[in-house]
Amino acid sequence: MQQRNLGRQGLTVSAIGYGAMGTAVGYGPSDDTGSIAAIRRAHELGVTHFDTAEMYGWGEGEKLLGHALAPIRDEVTIATKFGLTPTFAPNSKPEHIREVVENSLRNLNIDVIDVLYQHGPDPSVPIEDVVGVMKEFVDAGKVKYLGLSNTDTDAIRRAHAVHPISVLQHEYSIFAHDSEQFFPVLEELGIGLVAYSPLARGFLSGAVKPREHYDASDFRQMIPWWAPENFDENLSIVSELTKLAESKGVALSQLALAWLLAKKDYIVPIPGSRNPERVAQNIAAADLRLTADDLARIDEIAPDGGIGGRGM
């Protein structure tokens, strides 16, 4: 698979990565056996970058990913995140960061975290202090590269002044265009973009279903795209995108991922699936080249993304 550079500090990963949130939380009952098979299938097909977080099962997601990647640890990069509590309140206090990072190393059963992110801003802790603690782990040889997630341009600049930031992680898909506001600062500072939820939390997977299909704990219950007043209109967008995908002989998910890859050469989407066959389908998007006409048609179909906004 094609490789992409994230930042100017030496981080190089596969053009498509793997997002492991769904292996532990958010999208219905977990299936460890299926998840491990999917993770290993992704690697077999060329994926070298795998993303998790403390919040994904509060350590259980990290343990599963660490177990799945243990036989091939030296062939992949592993990213994880800190900064939330079980009530989803922010906590980036220095002592909390230190505790979480040490726990993540143990959960993943690794000596070095390749990419360490702050999961989201903590208004009570200056970003300079947060990155200062993250830098301690770089200096100690326990972290290689630093990243930020779900932040703003001011914080990116202030963080980068303390220690180079290699990558921003932010939601980006045909349905969610918020990330495009970051392009100027990312290009100025030489920072890569890891696009999470590149299939719009499943709306662009080709298998979207109404909200009532999902149980009460499913994240999609809280996302405006699935709200009854928005669902049918978003389904119409998906229908038009599907027609375009079919005209090219590909799946909707492949069209959506190829759209991201065509946007900038420093973007790496991280779709996640517990199904090895769907993983293979997603990864095949790396070989799909969209024309200028294709990109224009997609922008015509969904000029402002999905109706209702991504919410979370």
Side-chain angles (χ1 to χ4, degrees), residues 63-303:
K63 291 175 184 176
L64 185 147
L65 185 64
H67 173 71
L69 295 177
I72 48 173
R73 169 64 186 107
D74 294 340
E75 301 173 20
V76 300
T77 53
I78 298 174
T80 192
K81 300 177 278 293
F82 68 84
L84 295 173
T85 71
T87 62
F88 298 102
N91 187 346
S92 287
K93 295 178 181 177
E95 62 272 18
H96 182 72
I97 297 173
R98 295 185 184 103
E99 177 185 359
V100 172
V101 174
E102 293 292 353
N103 286 340
S104 291
L105 285 162
R106 284 190 290 270
N107 290 335
L108 290 161
N109 194 27
I110 58 178
D111 297 322
V112 181
I113 294 167
D114 296 295
V115 184
L116 178 66
Y117 292 100
Q118 182 192 32
H119 209 145
D122 183 342
S124 69
V125 184
I127 189 62
E128 291 85 354
D129 294 348
V130 173
V131 178
V133 177
M134 296 168 76
K135 181 178 182 297
E136 291 176 9
F137 285 96
V138 176
D139 293 341
K142 294 183 177 182
V143 169
K144 290 184 179 179
Y145 305 102
L146 300 187
L148 298 177
S149 181
N150 301 310
T151 188
D152 57 42
T153 55
D154 178 63
I156 293 171
R157 291 184 183 281
R158 290 162 54 199
H160 196 75
V162 176
H163 185 281
I165 300 300
S166 295
V167 59
L168 169 70
Q169 183 171 142
H170 203 273
E171 183 166 358
Y172 191 25
S173 71
I174 292 174
F175 263 37
H177 298 176
D178 299 6
S179 288
E180 293 173 358
Q181 66 184 299
F182 296 107
F183 289 172
V185 71
L186 298 182
E187 290 167 12
E188 175 190 341
L189 300 179
I191 297 173
L193 175 65
V194 164
Y196 74 81
S197 296
L199 300 181
R201 303 174 188 265
F203 224 110
L204 299 173
S205 68
V208 65
K209 297 178 181 177
R211 177 177 288 187
E212 57 265 25
H213 176 81
Y214 306 108
D215 66 40
S217 66
D218 195 294
F219 279 14
R220 287 166 286 201
Q221 293 287 356
M222 300 177 284
I223 297 175
W225 293 330
W226 271 268
E229 65 270 24
N230 300 325
F231 184 80
D232 288 345
E233 194 169 355
N234 284 325
L235 204 60
S236 294
I237 294 173
V238 167
S239 176
E240 291 302 309
L241 292 171
T242 300
K243 290 177 185 176
L244 177 59
E246 290 174 346
S247 75
K248 301 185 72 63
V250 300
L252 173 61
S253 61
Q254 293 169 326
L255 181 81
L257 293 169
W259 179 84
L260 284 166
L261 293 173
K263 282 290 183 176
K264 300 288 182 180
D265 63 5
Y266 54 80
I267 293 175
V268 172
I270 51 169
S273 176
R274 296 170 292 194
N275 182 318
E277 292 181 3
R278 190 169 290 278
V279 164
Q281 182 183 78
N282 290 341
I283 292 169
D287 297 324
L288 175 61
R289 300 291 179 266
L290 298 181
T291 67
D293 287 344
D294 294 331
L295 296 173
R297 177 59 182 147
I298 292 169
D299 288 342
E300 180 183 338
I301 293 169

Side-chain angles (χ1 to χ4, degrees), residues 12-33:
T12 301
V13 303
S14 52
I16 294 178
Y18 181 93
M21 187 179 91
T23 65
V25 68
Y27 297 100
S30 59
D31 175 2
D32 289 359
T33 300

